[in-house]
Amino acid sequence: LYRAGTGEPLVLLHGLTDTWRTWRPIFADLVPYFDVIAPTLHGHSDGPELLASDDPRSFSDMADLAEESFDALGLDT
């Protein structure tokens, strides 16, 4: 997870098989204006482990896991 800056939250989500690191080239441009949040999604390299109880079967399931992570970070919108 990368998080830096102040202001309105801006969540950056990487593509499949990637990590938060894909966004490194643009952090310097965004951090002065936003609370930049770039997580590594569940099941991706160095991201939260997918537990057997998670067992995602769809993009909707993965979105639910991401939403739980955002809730833990205190994001409400």
Side-chain angles (χ1 to χ4, degrees):
L1 172 70
Y2 173 90
R3 188 170 191 177
T6 58
E8 289 291 317
L10 176 65
V11 177
L12 304 175
L13 297 178
H14 61 77
L16 294 176
T17 73
D18 211 345
T19 70
W20 67 266
R21 292 171 186 86
T22 198
W23 302 109
R24 283 185 294 190
I26 63 170
F27 285 150
D29 294 327
L30 298 174
V31 167
Y33 307 101
F34 299 99
D35 173 14
V36 178
I37 303 159
T40 295
L41 299 175
H42 284 76
H44 292 74
S45 179
D46 296 328
E49 184 178 344
L50 280 174
L51 305 174
S53 60
D54 294 330
D55 194 22
R57 304 273 181 196
S58 68
F59 286 112
S60 177
D61 292 338
M62 289 299 288
D64 289 342
L65 290 172
E67 183 179 15
E68 290 173 15
S69 297
F70 301 149
D71 288 344
L73 291 171
L75 301 175
D76 59 358
T77 59

